[in-house]
Amino acid sequence: MGAAVQDGTIDLVVFRTGSLGCALRRADIREILPMPRLWRWPGLPSVIKGFFNFGGDAVPVLDAEQLFLLGNDAEEAIKGEDGASDDDPEAYLYHHMILLAGAGRQKVALLVDRVTDLTQVPHDSLLSVEAQASLNGCVVAGVEIAGERIHLLDGQRLLLAEERMALAELAERARARLKAWEETA
């Protein structure tokens, strides 16, 4: 992974979700993955696009656009940018997943439109952001990249404690499902 801050610079992974430009510290990311086939069951919150099998572990995939409340209405929130529904396997074909480097056993991936850059920025180029300006203080700074202000996010603050607990319970159900299938194979 490497250190988040080296020689006065920070390694960032820049991505787009909706019209928003965001970045995460490289140290907050385990992997950047292409979009696999996801599975989901009825009753899951719409922010959870589904789960995928990552080395025998069921990993939840969260739609970054919905997580950041960027959609204008519910109908737009459940459709891809081309208007395709989530049931269409090609709806998110060219999107990326960012597997976060979470603490402990729980893994979480973010579905984003596109990872656009891996860059280093000087630590002193970060623009200050007030902690109360974002939910749970997840936006920790702003940074100018290619003439655009990008929101630097803290991967550990993207979810509230209650959301983490609920997601952990759902992931455990998905792991049990995976294990049941492995036992029958």
Side-chain angles (χ1 to χ4, degrees), residues 16 33-36 65 80-82 90-97 111-115:
R16 299 211 62 83
L33 302 166
M35 188 66 178
E65 189 169 352
E81 61 191 47
D82 60 358
E90 294 182 7
Y92 298 99
L93 184 62
Y94 297 108
H95 288 57
H96 288 133
M97 286 190 332
L111 173 65
V112 300
D113 289 348
R114 201 92 183 127
V115 172

Side-chain angles (χ1 to χ4, degrees), residues 31-110:
E31 291 188 47
I32 298 169
L33 302 166
M35 188 66 178
R37 182 167 295 278
L38 303 178
W39 86 88
R40 61 178 288 125
W41 57 86
L44 283 176
S46 62
V47 71
I48 301 174
K49 284 299 180 197
F51 290 82
F52 72 102
N53 184 343
F54 186 73
D57 195 9
V59 178
V61 178
L62 304 179
D63 184 334
E65 189 169 352
Q66 288 188 35
L67 185 64
F68 303 149
L69 301 174
L70 297 176
N72 291 331
D73 59 38
E75 185 178 5
E76 285 181 15
I78 61 172
K79 292 189 175 193
E81 61 191 47
D82 60 358
S85 75
D86 288 346
D87 295 333
D88 179 0
E90 294 182 7
Y92 298 99
L93 184 62
Y94 297 108
H95 288 57
H96 288 133
M97 286 190 332
I98 299 174
L99 183 60
L100 299 175
R105 183 176 173 204
Q106 179 63 45
K107 295 179 184 78
V108 175
L110 281 179

